[in-house]
Amino acid sequence: MTKINILPPLVADMIAAGEVVERPASVIKELVENAFDADAKKISVEFSDGGATYIRVTDDGCGMSPEDAGIAFTRHATSKLRDEKGLEAIGTMGFRGEALAAISAVSRIELVTREKGAAEGVAVTVQAGDIIDMVPCGCPEGTSITVRDIFFNTPARLKFLKSDRSEAAACTAAAMHCALGRPDISLRCRRDGEELFFSPGDGRAESAAYSLLGRETANSMLPCKAEGEGMAVEGFVSSPAMGRGNRSNQHFYCNGRYIKSALLQTALEQAYKNTLLTGRFPSCVLYLSLSRGAVDVNVHPAKTEVKFSDEKKVFDLVYQAVRATLEQESAPLEIGLSESTKRIAAAAKPDFFRSMSAGEYRREAARPSQARPSSGFDNARPKPAYYAQKAPEFVEKEREKSPAYAEKTVENVEKVKESACRVIGEALGTYIVAELDGEMLLIDKHAAHERMIFDRLKAQNREIMSQTLLSPVIIKPDAGDAELIEKNAQLLSSLGFEIEPFGASDFAIRAVPDDIDPGEAASAAEELCEKLRCGGVDAGSVRDELLHTVACKAAIKAGRRHDTAELERIAEAVASGRVKYCPHGRPVSARLTKKELDKFFSRIV
Ligand code: ADP
Ligand code: MG
């Protein structure tokens, strides 16, 4: 047996550094968090290459006295925690007194700092944990820490760093997460002198999201807010039409701290259930505020994991907040004119405004005036929007005349209100063209109908009505599918499908849901098998997936003509805001405003 040694402090710090300083990005996170704790209003983050050779974080915070600057690099040196009681209610980003010790153990550091109100500052040079120089110096109030040659004395760790590109991406993400968490602080981030981003620090979450996530992402986000049970959540979530291929735009904060949380991620994604395509993910920036006792941040040195004392309450709050936001969102997607159309319109403009020659003018003036085609149709039919608006006056007048008759009027007015959407017709066999409140509405008839059926089936929440087929449809599934059909017979039957073994390896479909055309029976069964094969996280989500198939098969199809009454029913559901996305998250409608059309035709400029 070898003799037990107590490790020298530097070795202990180097081991601990592994947990705090995983890569250059962790240094950025720790230094920026220290600046937050120092009440900085402006922070600058600079780095070179992948950050391993050079990182500098400068702030205009409270600064340090020469005494504090001398001990800040010692392990467990912190100004943020005094005793064990403080651990239960941590209000600062740091408290473990580890970061500067850990960073300085594996790099070369220059610290320049001046305490607020002090006559002069101090410059400290630290190398592998040892202070090698400390001199008074003139400098602005605040702190600037330069970290060079990270892992220069731990070659094994240096080897684990990825390419400069990936390390730089991680550095940028770390700075970005910090900045997004504190819209009240302005943060500028530069790599090799080139600005990567700048957050204005005006205290508005919208401004932070706009400058950090980009215009397009920020503009597609919907505000989200809820509170209760001593906690609150606020921020933005993406509209279902803006699902992304990954989760990189999901940002969660807890009391100002950027956190990774499977719980919050699940709450968010569950709220989008049946509005997003499988494999697409919502984006969000959600700030959670909890009382300090309701969350433990002391789970890991990096503090990106937290433990909530009541997980269910947190889950419910976030889930309900996001659901409420998605339910409120009623505005259909707005179609912008395509770039090429805009170019055509722009090029055409000079002609419209060209002044006419005298001859042209005379010819033009002599032409019989082009009366607009009589709008007999419009006049013959009441303008629903007008009536809806005038409804209260109408009802009052009628009530004075005859109370009984007035009730009838109320009913009629309600009907008119509902049908404030006028179906003009169907285009390309696929889209319903309608008019609603001075806007032109285009509706994907299949997608909208699919959603209506899906919602109805889901709300039924019991066995779905089925129809027995006059002659059963025989299918020949492969061995795997055959097993799935047998195993899930009960589930399929609750959805209205009766599928039984028939002969040696065939199956007979004897009944299908009421809404499905018997001609679709075989293809529906095939799709159901495919969904059963992929499965889902729980029985509920498998059932939802299967309901998607039923709804899709039962919905009216693009390419086929449908009668006006059917189209009107769909248009009304969309106009009322009840139907927004198909069960896979595709939008069901788009609109063109009168203003946009007028602009295009140069009726207005
Ligand atoms: P912690 O943040 O957990 O307290 P650190 O090792 O990160 O531990 O920092 C040690 C101490 O150094 C802090 O408690 C603080 O007093 C001081 N300090 C570090 N960075 C700054 C800064 N940018 N401005 C003012 N003081 C700082
Ligand atoms: Mg710290």
Side-chain angles (χ1 to χ4, degrees):
M1 199 63 154
T2 43
K3 212 170 147 288
I4 294 178
N5 287 314
I6 300 287
L7 291 175
L10 175 64
V11 181
D13 282 345
M14 281 163 80
I15 293 171
E19 289 190 304
V20 181
V21 190
E22 216 184 310
R23 58 199 301 189
S26 349
V27 172
I28 293 187
K29 169 187 174 287
E30 293 296 339
L31 297 183
V32 174
E33 288 189 352
N34 278 348
F36 286 169
D37 286 344
D39 279 332
K41 289 283 158 272
K42 279 201 205 112
I43 301 175
S44 127
V45 175
E46 295 157 273
F47 63 95
S48 288
D49 307 320
T53 50
Y54 176 89
I55 291 174
R56 171 182 280 171
V57 175
T58 307
D59 67 58
D60 63 351
C62 65
M64 283 179 254
S65 66
E67 299 77 61
D68 280 354
I71 57 163
F73 297 93
T74 319
R75 194 137 184 239
H76 307 310
T78 178
S79 55
K80 303 165 196 175
L81 185 66
R82 282 191 181 282
D83 50 32
E84 75 282 0
K85 281 187 221 107
L87 256 186
E88 282 169 19
I90 288 160
T92 47
M93 305 297 276
F95 57 88
R96 299 169 64 116
E98 274 178 337
L100 291 187
I103 298 166
S104 68
V106 292
S107 68
R108 302 179 225 270
I109 295 190
E110 287 146 40
L111 159 73
V112 176
T113 184
R114 174 150 77 98
E115 200 176 14
K116 276 238 152 85
E120 59 177 6
V122 61
V124 186
T125 311
V126 191
Q127 192 162 310
D130 285 330
I131 295 186
I132 53 175
D133 194 19
M134 190 162 168
V135 287
C137 73
C139 62
E141 287 177 342
T143 302
S144 172
I145 299 190
T146 310
V147 178
R148 290 177 211 270
D149 307 327
I150 298 175
F151 300 140
F152 79 98
N153 55 348
T154 51
R157 298 196 60 85
L158 192 60
K159 263 209 317 252
F160 276 103
L161 289 187
K162 302 212 177 88
S163 67
D164 275 358
R165 237 171 76 135
S166 350
E167 292 301 334
C171 286
T172 314
M176 201 272 273
H177 288 148
C178 288
L180 194 55
R182 291 294 299 268
D184 56 326
I185 293 175
S186 168
L187 196 150
R188 189 182 293 281
C189 181
R190 288 200 199 95
R191 181 192 181 199
D192 297 320
E194 195 181 311
E195 184 164 304
L196 299 174
F197 64 78
F198 167 73
S199 68
D202 60 5
R204 292 171 59 234
E206 296 90 313
S207 317
Y210 195 92
S211 56
L212 298 166
L213 304 179
R215 185 166 140 249
E216 203 178 329
T217 307
N219 280 347
S220 71
M221 300 279 243
L222 316 164
C224 176
K225 190 175 180 175
E227 58 185 309
E229 309 253 10
M231 45 182 92
V233 63
E234 195 167 349
F236 312 95
V237 295
S238 56
S239 105
M242 300 299 287
R244 286 171 63 102
N246 58 45
R247 297 190 168 97
S248 64
N249 247 346
Q250 295 183 358
H251 310 282
F252 296 104
Y253 293 86
C254 177
N255 293 344
R257 196 185 293 282
Y258 175 77
I259 56 164
K260 294 211 163 67
S261 162
L263 180 88
L264 297 181
Q265 182 191 307
T266 315
L268 171 80
E269 291 178 8
Q270 288 268 320
Y272 280 81
K273 217 170 147 201
N274 298 320
T275 60
L276 267 184
L277 273 170
T278 330
R280 308 298 288 174
F281 300 97
S283 307
C284 75
V285 185
L286 288 176
Y287 304 98
L288 206 59
S289 319
L290 273 76
S291 68
R292 289 176 191 167
V295 53
D296 185 0
V297 292
N298 199 9
V299 181
H300 183 270
K303 296 170 287 197
T304 44
E305 284 165 49
V306 295
K307 178 109 192 67
F308 300 112
S309 59
D310 192 335
E311 295 199 331
K312 177 150 189 337
K313 273 189 195 152
V314 175
F315 182 97
D316 287 348
L317 181 77
V318 172
Y319 174 81
Q320 300 295 356
V322 179
R323 278 251 33 105
T325 299
L326 298 180
E327 268 157 29
Q328 267 168 25
E329 193 216 358
S330 60
L333 210 71
E334 232 170 279
I335 299 185
L337 296 179
S338 74
E339 283 310 312
S340 58
T341 312
K342 274 189 200 151
R343 267 200 302 280
I344 294 169
K349 247 172 211 152
D351 275 339
F352 293 151
F353 300 115
R354 185 170 63 91
S355 47
M356 287 184 222
S357 68
E360 271 177 319
Y361 179 80
R362 245 178 284 119
R363 272 196 301 280
E364 192 61 32
R367 235 172 56 174
S369 79
Q370 285 242 316
R372 286 179 57 196
S374 113
S375 53
F377 181 71
D378 270 10
N379 292 338
R381 241 178 109 138
K383 282 218 172 58
Y386 171 82
Y387 276 123
Q389 196 190 343
K390 289 279 179 201
E393 278 174 42
F394 241 75
V395 176
E396 263 325 298
K397 274 198 192 131
E398 295 297 337
R399 195 163 268 151
E400 276 166 27
K401 283 191 229 158
S402 140
Y405 184 72
E407 290 323 307
K408 190 89 200 124
T409 311
V410 171
E411 237 174 66
N412 286 342
V413 165
E414 284 306 315
K415 269 197 205 130
V416 170
K417 254 196 210 165
E418 256 182 43
S419 64
C421 173
R422 183 170 72 90
V423 171
I424 296 162
E426 196 180 336
L428 311 172
T430 308
Y431 302 105
I432 302 171
V433 183
E435 186 185 324
L436 172 73
D437 293 336
E439 288 181 352
M440 209 173 97
L441 204 57
L442 293 173
I443 299 167
D444 180 328
K445 65 178 181 183
H446 170 75
H449 195 210
E450 189 179 357
R451 178 83 219 188
M452 288 161 71
I453 297 173
F454 177 80
D455 285 348
R456 174 164 54 78
L457 295 177
K458 198 152 159 60
Q460 258 170 324
N461 209 12
R462 59 176 164 80
E463 301 226 337
I464 289 166
M465 291 273 282
S466 73
Q467 51 171 325
T468 307
L469 301 182
L470 281 177
S471 50
V473 174
I474 309 302
I475 52 169
K476 299 176 185 300
D478 63 21
D481 283 0
E483 201 185 316
L484 279 174
I485 294 175
E486 286 195 294
K487 215 172 82 190
N488 293 289
Q490 212 179 341
L491 173 62
L492 291 172
S493 146
S494 77
L495 293 165
F497 288 92
E498 300 297 340
I499 311 178
E500 295 167 1
F502 185 79
S505 59
D506 294 353
F507 276 75
I509 308 176
R510 298 197 181 278
V512 294
D514 227 6
D515 304 285
I516 291 189
D517 188 282
E520 303 264 15
S523 70
E526 203 175 296
E527 257 185 48
L528 292 177
C529 285
E530 198 182 313
K531 294 202 167 151
L532 287 170
R533 236 178 286 139
C534 304
V537 278
D538 53 69
S541 68
V542 175
R543 197 183 149 86
D544 279 0
E545 281 295 319
L546 300 184
L547 283 181
H548 286 175
T549 302
V550 177
C552 177
K553 294 286 171 196
I556 62 175
K557 302 276 177 300
R560 291 188 207 157
R561 294 248 150 228
H562 293 91
D563 68 30
T564 320
E566 180 126 45
L567 301 181
E568 273 173 354
R569 217 160 41 84
I570 296 174
E572 264 159 29
V574 173
S576 73
R578 288 200 302 278
V579 173
K580 293 166 214 154
Y581 298 96
C582 89
H584 308 289
R586 281 191 291 120
V588 300
S589 65
R591 69 179 183 206
L592 267 172
T593 61
K594 175 141 193 315
K595 198 164 153 198
E596 269 182 305
L597 288 168
D598 285 350
K599 259 193 177 161
F600 174 72
F601 289 106
S602 295
R603 283 172 161 271
I604 55 172
V605 277

